[in-house]
């Protein structure tokens, strides 16, 4: 494989590996090939990420694509910045490398504050990433407290008709009125949906319709309870009221205000992350573990299995649907 071109069938890009090595602890041994079930390191892949499939460019296996890695949703996040401003570029480069290696790590920029937001699947996970930045890439960072990926949704459907009017310059007013309806989707974790009714579209140009649809979806990114992203909601714009001075900005501002009030009227609720957990413990520790799960972790115990085989092997198993306060 070394120095021959191969195909990344996941991204449909051609790669040229530079070196193939087998790893034993800290020892790296260059090899010409590996067989089924063997683990090796490939050096020189520029467009390949964790979970991709690499095949030959010719032959019966060309283009075959294996099931990738099932990446859990990131539910913890921190804001990070380099301790030194001249290290910001190095931080951005290091984060790109880490995200390629670990798909459960994601990075985004907060549009309001401009902060770099690092997301992972646990506090320890984020701590490991911060340690890697300092140890492997020599980039020390400041970080905020850990935030939890709460979501907001609704309990029932609601309808609201309201008007927005402001006078920002003497003699000039900003006016827009709307009828908005919200409905809960079947799954509260599904992304929000938005649509504009035909009767409302008649009051808008094609560009205004697109802009207003984007405004409704953007408004769903911050819920009325704590500013967390909203999920599991379908938003329908039923009617638009305007005058000759109504601008796109007025329409978007009205859509944001009326939608948030409509969500409140629909019984806005806060959702916290949930995790399914299976724990295997020795019988002598079973009581302590169950007590910790139920009292400190707010777990709901579904089943405790203390079969004869488990007793003979000095092990017992508890299966829990764990509801962590994340």
């Amino acid at each position: 494989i070394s120095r021959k071109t191969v195909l990344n069938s996941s991204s449909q890009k051609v790669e040229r590996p530079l070196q193939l090595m087998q790893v034993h602890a800290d020892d790296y041994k260059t090899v010409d090939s590996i067989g089924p079930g063997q683990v090796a390191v490939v050096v020189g892949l520029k467009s390949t990420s964790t979970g991709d499939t690499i095949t030959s460019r010719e032959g019966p296996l060309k283009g075959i694509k294996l099931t990738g890695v099932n990446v859990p949703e990131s539910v913890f996040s921190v804001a990070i910045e380099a301790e030194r401003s001249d290290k910001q570029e190095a931080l951005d480069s290091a984060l790109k490398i880490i995200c390629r290696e670990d798909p459960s790590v994601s990075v985004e920029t907060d549009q309001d504050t401009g902060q770099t937001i690092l997301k992972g699947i646990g506090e320890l996970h984020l701590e490991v990433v911060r340690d890697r930045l300092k140890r492997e890439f020599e980039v020390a960072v400041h970080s905020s407290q850990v935030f939890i990926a709460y979501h907001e949704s609704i309990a029932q459907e609601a309808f609201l008709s309201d008007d927005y009017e402001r006078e920002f310059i003497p003699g000039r007013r900003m006016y827009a009125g709307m009828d908005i309806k919200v409905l809960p989707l079947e799954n509260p974790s599904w992304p929000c949906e938005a649509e504009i009714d035909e009767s409302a579209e008649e009051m808008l140009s094609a560009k205004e319709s697109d802009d207003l649809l984007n405004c409704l979806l953007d408004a769903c990114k911050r819920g009325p309870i704590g500013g967390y992203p909203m999920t599991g909601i379908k938003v329908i714009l039923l009617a638009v009221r305007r005058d000759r001075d109504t601008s796109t900005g007025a329409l978007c501002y009205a859509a944001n205000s009326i939608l948030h009030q409509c969500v409140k009227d629909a019984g806005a609720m806060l959702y916290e992350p949930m995790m399914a957990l299976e724990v295997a413990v020795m019988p002598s520790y079973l009581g302590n573990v169950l007590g910790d799960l139920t009292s400190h972790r707010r777990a709901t115990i579904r089943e405790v299995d203390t079969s004869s085989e488990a007793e003979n092997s000095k092990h017992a198993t508890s299966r829990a649907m764990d509801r962590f306060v994340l």
Side-chain angles (χ1 to χ4, degrees):
I1 190 174
S2 179
R3 298 190 179 278
K4 294 182 180 179
T5 57
V6 294
L7 175 66
N8 182 331
S9 57
S10 300
S11 62
Q12 294 300 310
K13 293 185 178 181
V14 175
E15 295 274 29
R16 185 182 295 275
L18 300 178
Q19 205 169 13
L20 181 66
M21 296 183 293
Q22 282 190 315
V23 182
H24 301 281
D26 293 334
D27 295 329
Y28 294 83
K29 179 183 178 182
T30 301
V31 294
D32 295 326
S33 63
I34 57 172
Q38 290 184 298
V39 178
V41 172
V42 184
V43 180
L45 303 181
K46 297 181 179 179
S47 303
T48 300
S49 302
T50 301
D52 288 353
T53 303
I54 302 295
T55 68
S56 60
R57 297 183 64 188
E58 304 293 339
L61 297 180
K62 176 186 176 182
I64 190 172
K65 184 178 178 181
L66 302 177
T67 302
V69 178
N70 183 20
V71 182
E73 181 184 359
S74 301
V75 294
F76 286 80
S77 61
V78 292
I80 62 172
E81 63 178 5
E83 289 186 356
R84 292 166 46 189
S85 59
D86 61 339
K87 286 287 188 177
Q88 184 61 43
E89 187 174 342
L91 173 62
D92 295 338
S93 300
L95 290 174
K96 288 180 181 179
I97 294 173
I98 291 175
C99 289
R100 280 188 61 192
E101 296 175 349
D102 184 355
S104 61
V105 175
S106 61
V107 178
E108 63 183 40
T109 301
D110 189 292
Q111 298 299 320
D112 294 330
T113 65
Q115 291 177 302
T116 299
I117 307 299
L118 175 66
K119 294 185 174 182
I121 57 175
E123 282 190 80
L124 180 60
H125 189 207
L126 294 176
E127 186 60 40
V128 169
V129 174
R130 291 195 294 261
D131 178 69
R132 287 191 61 192
L133 288 171
K134 184 176 182 179
R135 177 168 42 84
E136 296 181 23
F137 301 96
E138 298 181 349
V139 180
V141 297
H142 293 299
S143 59
S144 68
Q145 68 181 56
V146 177
F147 294 95
I148 307 157
Y150 291 109
H151 286 177
E152 297 182 30
S153 193
I154 56 176
Q156 59 193 17
E157 67 178 68
F159 168 83
L160 180 62
S161 177
D162 202 356
D163 295 274
Y164 164 79
E165 185 174 0
R166 292 287 187 279
E167 185 174 340
F168 60 98
I169 298 177
R172 289 285 304 275
R173 70 184 188 123
M174 181 181 289
Y175 169 78
M178 294 181 187
D179 294 351
I180 290 180
K181 183 179 182 179
V182 295
L183 305 93
L185 296 176
E186 182 180 348
N187 189 326
S189 64
W190 287 352
C192 289
E193 302 175 4
E195 66 179 50
I196 301 177
D197 191 78
E198 291 182 2
S199 60
E201 282 190 334
E202 295 175 356
M203 301 293 295
L204 304 166
S205 66
K207 185 178 185 305
E208 286 175 332
S209 292
D210 292 339
D211 290 342
L212 194 50
L213 200 60
N214 290 330
C215 287
L216 290 170
L217 292 174
D218 285 341
C220 291
K221 294 179 180 179
R222 292 183 179 275
I225 298 177
Y228 300 105
M230 291 190 281
T231 57
I233 302 175
K234 183 174 184 178
V235 183
I236 305 175
L237 178 60
L238 298 173
V240 173
R241 294 176 293 280
R242 61 186 304 175
D243 59 23
R244 61 177 184 172
D245 294 326
T246 300
S247 64
T248 303
L251 291 170
C252 288
Y253 193 96
N256 184 80
S257 301
I258 297 171
L259 173 59
H260 278 200
Q261 184 57 52
C262 192
V263 169
K264 290 181 181 179
D265 296 343
M269 300 185 298
L270 191 65
Y271 284 81
E272 61 181 335
M274 295 180 65
M275 182 181 296
L277 177 69
E278 181 175 302
V279 183
V281 297
M282 295 180 63
S284 57
Y285 295 109
L286 181 58
N288 290 335
V289 171
L290 289 178
D292 180 71
L293 289 173
T294 55
S295 61
H296 295 96
R297 305 290 184 175
R298 294 199 298 146
T300 300
I301 306 300
R302 300 298 187 188
E303 179 186 356
V304 176
D305 180 7
T306 54
S307 61
S308 58
E309 290 85 356
E311 290 292 342
N312 291 336
S313 61
K314 301 298 183 183
H315 285 77
T317 301
S318 68
R319 294 181 178 86
M321 180 62 72
D322 198 354
R323 300 177 58 199
F324 284 105
V325 185
L326 294 176

PDB file of all heavy atoms in Angstrom, residues 199-229:
ATOM      1  N   SER A 199     -51.189  31.560   1.822  1.00  0.00           N
ATOM      2  CA  SER A 199     -51.808  32.871   2.011  1.00  0.00           C
ATOM      3  C   SER A 199     -50.806  33.901   2.525  1.00  0.00           C
ATOM      4  O   SER A 199     -50.894  35.084   2.201  1.00  0.00           O
ATOM      5  CB  SER A 199     -52.984  32.757   2.983  1.00  0.00           C
ATOM      6  OG  SER A 199     -52.544  32.281   4.252  1.00  0.00           O
ATOM      7  N   ALA A 200     -49.835  33.458   3.316  1.00  0.00           N
ATOM      8  CA  ALA A 200     -48.800  34.376   3.801  1.00  0.00           C
ATOM      9  C   ALA A 200     -47.780  34.681   2.707  1.00  0.00           C
ATOM     10  O   ALA A 200     -47.263  35.803   2.623  1.00  0.00           O
ATOM     11  CB  ALA A 200     -48.105  33.782   5.017  1.00  0.00           C
ATOM     12  N   GLU A 201     -47.479  33.697   1.855  1.00  0.00           N
ATOM     13  CA  GLU A 201     -46.509  33.907   0.786  1.00  0.00           C
ATOM     14  C   GLU A 201     -46.970  34.968  -0.202  1.00  0.00           C
ATOM     15  O   GLU A 201     -46.154  35.640  -0.838  1.00  0.00           O
ATOM     16  CB  GLU A 201     -46.241  32.589   0.048  1.00  0.00           C
ATOM     17  CG  GLU A 201     -45.298  31.652   0.792  1.00  0.00           C
ATOM     18  CD  GLU A 201     -44.869  30.479  -0.067  1.00  0.00           C
ATOM     19  OE1 GLU A 201     -45.646  30.129  -0.987  1.00  0.00           O
ATOM     20  OE2 GLU A 201     -43.784  29.933   0.181  1.00  0.00           O
ATOM     21  N   GLU A 202     -48.299  35.114  -0.341  1.00  0.00           N
ATOM     22  CA  GLU A 202     -48.825  36.116  -1.268  1.00  0.00           C
ATOM     23  C   GLU A 202     -48.449  37.530  -0.845  1.00  0.00           C
ATOM     24  O   GLU A 202     -48.420  38.442  -1.679  1.00  0.00           O
ATOM     25  CB  GLU A 202     -50.350  35.994  -1.360  1.00  0.00           C
ATOM     26  CG  GLU A 202     -50.819  34.675  -1.972  1.00  0.00           C
ATOM     27  CD  GLU A 202     -52.333  34.539  -1.943  1.00  0.00           C
ATOM     28  OE1 GLU A 202     -52.986  35.445  -1.384  1.00  0.00           O
ATOM     29  OE2 GLU A 202     -52.846  33.533  -2.478  1.00  0.00           O
ATOM     30  N   MET A 203     -48.142  37.734   0.434  1.00  0.00           N
ATOM     31  CA  MET A 203     -47.769  39.052   0.945  1.00  0.00           C
ATOM     32  C   MET A 203     -46.263  39.293   0.888  1.00  0.00           C
ATOM     33  O   MET A 203     -45.792  40.354   1.302  1.00  0.00           O
ATOM     34  CB  MET A 203     -48.256  39.207   2.390  1.00  0.00           C
ATOM     35  CG  MET A 203     -49.749  39.047   2.564  1.00  0.00           C
ATOM     36  SD  MET A 203     -50.656  40.388   1.781  1.00  0.00           S
ATOM     37  CE  MET A 203     -50.117  41.797   2.760  1.00  0.00           C
ATOM     38  N   LEU A 204     -45.513  38.324   0.395  1.00  0.00           N
ATOM     39  CA  LEU A 204     -44.054  38.406   0.427  1.00  0.00           C
ATOM     40  C   LEU A 204     -43.469  38.163  -0.955  1.00  0.00           C
ATOM     41  O   LEU A 204     -44.042  37.437  -1.774  1.00  0.00           O
ATOM     42  CB  LEU A 204     -43.484  37.359   1.400  1.00  0.00           C
ATOM     43  CG  LEU A 204     -43.995  37.386   2.838  1.00  0.00           C
ATOM     44  CD1 LEU A 204     -43.605  36.095   3.546  1.00  0.00           C
ATOM     45  CD2 LEU A 204     -43.441  38.596   3.588  1.00  0.00           C
ATOM     46  N   SER A 205     -42.326  38.773  -1.200  1.00  0.00           N
ATOM     47  CA  SER A 205     -41.571  38.436  -2.404  1.00  0.00           C
ATOM     48  C   SER A 205     -40.837  37.118  -2.174  1.00  0.00           C
ATOM     49  O   SER A 205     -40.765  36.613  -1.041  1.00  0.00           O
ATOM     50  CB  SER A 205     -40.571  39.544  -2.724  1.00  0.00           C
ATOM     51  OG  SER A 205     -39.572  39.621  -1.710  1.00  0.00           O
ATOM     52  N   ALA A 206     -40.272  36.549  -3.241  1.00  0.00           N
ATOM     53  CA  ALA A 206     -39.555  35.276  -3.116  1.00  0.00           C
ATOM     54  C   ALA A 206     -38.374  35.413  -2.160  1.00  0.00           C
ATOM     55  O   ALA A 206     -38.117  34.529  -1.331  1.00  0.00           O
ATOM     56  CB  ALA A 206     -39.086  34.801  -4.487  1.00  0.00           C
ATOM     57  N   LYS A 207     -37.639  36.532  -2.256  1.00  0.00           N
ATOM     58  CA  LYS A 207     -36.492  36.740  -1.364  1.00  0.00           C
ATOM     59  C   LYS A 207     -36.944  36.919   0.079  1.00  0.00           C
ATOM     60  O   LYS A 207     -36.326  36.393   1.008  1.00  0.00           O
ATOM     61  CB  LYS A 207     -35.691  37.955  -1.814  1.00  0.00           C
ATOM     62  CG  LYS A 207     -34.408  38.173  -1.008  1.00  0.00           C
ATOM     63  CD  LYS A 207     -33.627  39.356  -1.523  1.00  0.00           C
ATOM     64  CE  LYS A 207     -32.290  39.490  -0.789  1.00  0.00           C
ATOM     65  NZ  LYS A 207     -32.453  39.566   0.675  1.00  0.00           N
ATOM     66  N   GLU A 208     -38.036  37.671   0.277  1.00  0.00           N
ATOM     67  CA  GLU A 208     -38.546  37.863   1.633  1.00  0.00           C
ATOM     68  C   GLU A 208     -39.007  36.551   2.237  1.00  0.00           C
ATOM     69  O   GLU A 208     -38.823  36.312   3.446  1.00  0.00           O
ATOM     70  CB  GLU A 208     -39.689  38.876   1.620  1.00  0.00           C
ATOM     71  CG  GLU A 208     -39.238  40.307   1.418  1.00  0.00           C
ATOM     72  CD  GLU A 208     -40.409  41.272   1.293  1.00  0.00           C
ATOM     73  OE1 GLU A 208     -41.487  40.832   0.838  1.00  0.00           O
ATOM     74  OE2 GLU A 208     -40.245  42.454   1.639  1.00  0.00           O
ATOM     75  N   SER A 209     -39.592  35.666   1.423  1.00  0.00           N
ATOM     76  CA  SER A 209     -40.029  34.354   1.922  1.00  0.00           C
ATOM     77  C   SER A 209     -38.839  33.535   2.393  1.00  0.00           C
ATOM     78  O   SER A 209     -38.869  32.930   3.472  1.00  0.00           O
ATOM     79  CB  SER A 209     -40.783  33.593   0.826  1.00  0.00           C
ATOM     80  OG  SER A 209     -42.013  34.213   0.521  1.00  0.00           O
ATOM     81  N   ASP A 210     -37.768  33.531   1.588  1.00  0.00           N
ATOM     82  CA  ASP A 210     -36.566  32.782   1.978  1.00  0.00           C
ATOM     83  C   ASP A 210     -35.937  33.376   3.234  1.00  0.00           C
ATOM     84  O   ASP A 210     -35.537  32.641   4.145  1.00  0.00           O
ATOM     85  CB  ASP A 210     -35.544  32.793   0.835  1.00  0.00           C
ATOM     86  CG  ASP A 210     -36.012  31.982  -0.364  1.00  0.00           C
ATOM     87  OD1 ASP A 210     -36.894  31.115  -0.177  1.00  0.00           O
ATOM     88  OD2 ASP A 210     -35.511  32.225  -1.478  1.00  0.00           O
ATOM     89  N   ASP A 211     -35.845  34.712   3.281  1.00  0.00           N
ATOM     90  CA  ASP A 211     -35.247  35.360   4.450  1.00  0.00           C
ATOM     91  C   ASP A 211     -36.072  35.098   5.710  1.00  0.00           C
ATOM     92  O   ASP A 211     -35.525  34.839   6.791  1.00  0.00           O
ATOM     93  CB  ASP A 211     -35.129  36.867   4.219  1.00  0.00           C
ATOM     94  CG  ASP A 211     -34.080  37.214   3.177  1.00  0.00           C
ATOM     95  OD1 ASP A 211     -33.231  36.353   2.889  1.00  0.00           O
ATOM     96  OD2 ASP A 211     -34.119  38.350   2.655  1.00  0.00           O
ATOM     97  N   LEU A 212     -37.391  35.148   5.580  1.00  0.00           N
ATOM     98  CA  LEU A 212     -38.258  34.956   6.740  1.00  0.00           C
ATOM     99  C   LEU A 212     -38.219  33.506   7.213  1.00  0.00           C
ATOM    100  O   LEU A 212     -38.249  33.237   8.428  1.00  0.00           O
ATOM    101  CB  LEU A 212     -39.689  35.357   6.383  1.00  0.00           C
ATOM    102  CG  LEU A 212     -40.675  35.548   7.542  1.00  0.00           C
ATOM    103  CD1 LEU A 212     -40.075  36.468   8.606  1.00  0.00           C
ATOM    104  CD2 LEU A 212     -41.987  36.108   7.036  1.00  0.00           C
ATOM    105  N   LEU A 213     -38.096  32.576   6.284  1.00  0.00           N
ATOM    106  CA  LEU A 213     -37.978  31.165   6.665  1.00  0.00           C
ATOM    107  C   LEU A 213     -36.694  30.934   7.439  1.00  0.00           C
ATOM    108  O   LEU A 213     -36.678  30.228   8.459  1.00  0.00           O
ATOM    109  CB  LEU A 213     -38.017  30.295   5.403  1.00  0.00           C
ATOM    110  CG  LEU A 213     -38.372  28.819   5.572  1.00  0.00           C
ATOM    111  CD1 LEU A 213     -39.764  28.658   6.174  1.00  0.00           C
ATOM    112  CD2 LEU A 213     -38.285  28.102   4.238  1.00  0.00           C
ATOM    113  N   ASN A 214     -35.600  31.545   6.977  1.00  0.00           N
ATOM    114  CA  ASN A 214     -34.324  31.426   7.693  1.00  0.00           C
ATOM    115  C   ASN A 214     -34.401  32.091   9.067  1.00  0.00           C
ATOM    116  O   ASN A 214     -33.812  31.599  10.034  1.00  0.00           O
ATOM    117  CB  ASN A 214     -33.195  32.054   6.873  1.00  0.00           C
ATOM    118  CG  ASN A 214     -32.850  31.249   5.642  1.00  0.00           C
ATOM    119  OD1 ASN A 214     -32.995  30.029   5.627  1.00  0.00           O
ATOM    120  ND2 ASN A 214     -32.408  31.919   4.590  1.00  0.00           N
ATOM    121  N   CYS A 215     -35.137  33.210   9.148  1.00  0.00           N
ATOM    122  CA  CYS A 215     -35.294  33.892  10.439  1.00  0.00           C
ATOM    123  C   CYS A 215     -36.034  33.010  11.439  1.00  0.00           C
ATOM    124  O   CYS A 215     -35.685  32.961  12.621  1.00  0.00           O
ATOM    125  CB  CYS A 215     -36.047  35.205  10.251  1.00  0.00           C
ATOM    126  SG  CYS A 215     -35.089  36.516   9.463  1.00  0.00           S
ATOM    127  N   LEU A 216     -37.066  32.304  10.975  1.00  0.00           N
ATOM    128  CA  LEU A 216     -37.821  31.411  11.857  1.00  0.00           C
ATOM    129  C   LEU A 216     -36.936  30.276  12.366  1.00  0.00           C
ATOM    130  O   LEU A 216     -36.978  29.914  13.547  1.00  0.00           O
ATOM    131  CB  LEU A 216     -39.033  30.848  11.125  1.00  0.00           C
ATOM    132  CG  LEU A 216     -40.172  31.840  10.826  1.00  0.00           C
ATOM    133  CD1 LEU A 216     -41.195  31.209   9.885  1.00  0.00           C
ATOM    134  CD2 LEU A 216     -40.848  32.287  12.118  1.00  0.00           C
ATOM    135  N   LEU A 217     -36.115  29.693  11.470  1.00  0.00           N
ATOM    136  CA  LEU A 217     -35.223  28.611  11.887  1.00  0.00           C
ATOM    137  C   LEU A 217     -34.126  29.128  12.818  1.00  0.00           C
ATOM    138  O   LEU A 217     -33.737  28.442  13.761  1.00  0.00           O
ATOM    139  CB  LEU A 217     -34.614  27.932  10.657  1.00  0.00           C
ATOM    140  CG  LEU A 217     -35.593  27.143   9.779  1.00  0.00           C
ATOM    141  CD1 LEU A 217     -34.899  26.637   8.520  1.00  0.00           C
ATOM    142  CD2 LEU A 217     -36.192  25.974  10.559  1.00  0.00           C
ATOM    143  N   ASP A 218     -33.628  30.343  12.555  1.00  0.00           N
ATOM    144  CA  ASP A 218     -32.624  30.936  13.446  1.00  0.00           C
ATOM    145  C   ASP A 218     -33.224  31.207  14.827  1.00  0.00           C
ATOM    146  O   ASP A 218     -32.542  31.047  15.851  1.00  0.00           O
ATOM    147  CB  ASP A 218     -32.086  32.239  12.852  1.00  0.00           C
ATOM    148  CG  ASP A 218     -31.126  31.998  11.699  1.00  0.00           C
ATOM    149  OD1 ASP A 218     -30.614  30.877  11.590  1.00  0.00           O
ATOM    150  OD2 ASP A 218     -30.914  32.939  10.906  1.00  0.00           O
ATOM    151  N   ALA A 219     -34.492  31.630  14.858  1.00  0.00           N
ATOM    152  CA  ALA A 219     -35.147  31.893  16.140  1.00  0.00           C
ATOM    153  C   ALA A 219     -35.276  30.624  16.969  1.00  0.00           C
ATOM    154  O   ALA A 219     -35.322  30.675  18.204  1.00  0.00           O
ATOM    155  CB  ALA A 219     -36.529  32.511  15.903  1.00  0.00           C
ATOM    156  N   CYS A 220     -35.324  29.467  16.284  1.00  0.00           N
ATOM    157  CA  CYS A 220     -35.429  28.183  16.996  1.00  0.00           C
ATOM    158  C   CYS A 220     -34.117  27.781  17.665  1.00  0.00           C
ATOM    159  O   CYS A 220     -34.088  26.815  18.432  1.00  0.00           O
ATOM    160  CB  CYS A 220     -35.867  27.077  16.035  1.00  0.00           C
ATOM    161  SG  CYS A 220     -37.576  27.239  15.447  1.00  0.00           S
ATOM    162  N   LYS A 221     -33.041  28.484  17.376  1.00  0.00           N
ATOM    163  CA  LYS A 221     -31.751  28.142  17.979  1.00  0.00           C
ATOM    164  C   LYS A 221     -31.638  28.619  19.422  1.00  0.00           C
ATOM    165  O   LYS A 221     -30.742  28.172  20.144  1.00  0.00           O
ATOM    166  CB  LYS A 221     -30.614  28.757  17.144  1.00  0.00           C
ATOM    167  CG  LYS A 221     -30.496  28.164  15.749  1.00  0.00           C
ATOM    168  CD  LYS A 221     -29.379  28.823  14.963  1.00  0.00           C
ATOM    169  CE  LYS A 221     -29.257  28.231  13.568  1.00  0.00           C
ATOM    170  NZ  LYS A 221     -28.178  28.887  12.774  1.00  0.00           N
ATOM    171  N   ARG A 222     -32.544  29.514  19.845  1.00  0.00           N
ATOM    172  CA  ARG A 222     -32.520  30.016  21.221  1.00  0.00           C
ATOM    173  C   ARG A 222     -33.932  29.998  21.776  1.00  0.00           C
ATOM    174  O   ARG A 222     -34.784  30.770  21.319  1.00  0.00           O
ATOM    175  CB  ARG A 222     -31.936  31.435  21.277  1.00  0.00           C
ATOM    176  CG  ARG A 222     -30.449  31.495  20.951  1.00  0.00           C
ATOM    177  CD  ARG A 222     -29.924  32.913  21.093  1.00  0.00           C
ATOM    178  NE  ARG A 222     -28.502  32.997  20.811  1.00  0.00           N
ATOM    179  CZ  ARG A 222     -27.534  32.765  21.679  1.00  0.00           C
ATOM    180  NH1 ARG A 222     -27.847  32.431  22.916  1.00  0.00           N
ATOM    181  NH2 ARG A 222     -26.267  32.865  21.342  1.00  0.00           N
ATOM    182  N   GLY A 223     -34.182  29.120  22.735  1.00  0.00           N
ATOM    183  CA  GLY A 223     -35.505  28.992  23.316  1.00  0.00           C
ATOM    184  C   GLY A 223     -35.790  30.046  24.364  1.00  0.00           C
ATOM    185  O   GLY A 223     -34.882  30.724  24.860  1.00  0.00           O
ATOM    186  N   PRO A 224     -37.059  30.184  24.755  1.00  0.00           N
ATOM    187  CA  PRO A 224     -37.451  31.225  25.710  1.00  0.00           C
ATOM    188  C   PRO A 224     -37.113  30.914  27.161  1.00  0.00           C
ATOM    189  O   PRO A 224     -37.142  31.802  28.003  1.00  0.00           O
ATOM    190  CB  PRO A 224     -38.969  31.315  25.508  1.00  0.00           C
ATOM    191  CG  PRO A 224     -39.362  29.944  25.051  1.00  0.00           C
ATOM    192  CD  PRO A 224     -38.224  29.450  24.229  1.00  0.00           C
ATOM    193  N   ILE A 225     -36.800  29.666  27.489  1.00  0.00           N
ATOM    194  CA  ILE A 225     -36.545  29.316  28.886  1.00  0.00           C
ATOM    195  C   ILE A 225     -35.139  29.719  29.313  1.00  0.00           C
ATOM    196  O   ILE A 225     -34.948  30.464  30.262  1.00  0.00           O
ATOM    197  CB  ILE A 225     -36.762  27.807  29.119  1.00  0.00           C
ATOM    198  CG1 ILE A 225     -38.210  27.422  28.825  1.00  0.00           C
ATOM    199  CG2 ILE A 225     -36.411  27.432  30.557  1.00  0.00           C
ATOM    200  CD1 ILE A 225     -38.490  25.937  28.954  1.00  0.00           C
ATOM    201  N   GLY A 226     -34.148  29.192  28.620  1.00  0.00           N
ATOM    202  CA  GLY A 226     -32.760  29.473  28.997  1.00  0.00           C
ATOM    203  C   GLY A 226     -31.861  29.780  27.824  1.00  0.00           C
ATOM    204  O   GLY A 226     -30.632  29.773  27.960  1.00  0.00           O
ATOM    205  N   GLY A 227     -32.445  30.009  26.650  1.00  0.00           N
ATOM    206  CA  GLY A 227     -31.634  30.287  25.477  1.00  0.00           C
ATOM    207  C   GLY A 227     -31.043  29.043  24.840  1.00  0.00           C
ATOM    208  O   GLY A 227     -30.144  29.147  23.990  1.00  0.00           O
ATOM    209  N   TYR A 228     -31.529  27.843  25.227  1.00  0.00           N
ATOM    210  CA  TYR A 228     -31.026  26.599  24.646  1.00  0.00           C
ATOM    211  C   TYR A 228     -31.699  26.339  23.293  1.00  0.00           C
ATOM    212  O   TYR A 228     -32.807  26.839  23.043  1.00  0.00           O
ATOM    213  CB  TYR A 228     -31.283  25.423  25.588  1.00  0.00           C
ATOM    214  CG  TYR A 228     -30.628  25.563  26.933  1.00  0.00           C
ATOM    215  CD1 TYR A 228     -31.368  25.885  28.070  1.00  0.00           C
ATOM    216  CD2 TYR A 228     -29.257  25.383  27.077  1.00  0.00           C
ATOM    217  CE1 TYR A 228     -30.760  26.023  29.306  1.00  0.00           C
ATOM    218  CE2 TYR A 228     -28.642  25.515  28.309  1.00  0.00           C
ATOM    219  CZ  TYR A 228     -29.394  25.835  29.424  1.00  0.00           C
ATOM    220  OH  TYR A 228     -28.792  25.977  30.642  1.00  0.00           O
ATOM    221  N   PRO A 229     -31.071  25.549  22.417  1.00  0.00           N
ATOM    222  CA  PRO A 229     -31.678  25.271  21.116  1.00  0.00           C
ATOM    223  C   PRO A 229     -33.038  24.579  21.275  1.00  0.00           C
ATOM    224  O   PRO A 229     -33.210  23.724  22.143  1.00  0.00           O
ATOM    225  CB  PRO A 229     -30.662  24.340  20.441  1.00  0.00           C
ATOM    226  CG  PRO A 229     -29.372  24.595  21.149  1.00  0.00           C
ATOM    227  CD  PRO A 229     -29.731  24.928  22.557  1.00  0.00           C
TER     228      PRO A 229
END
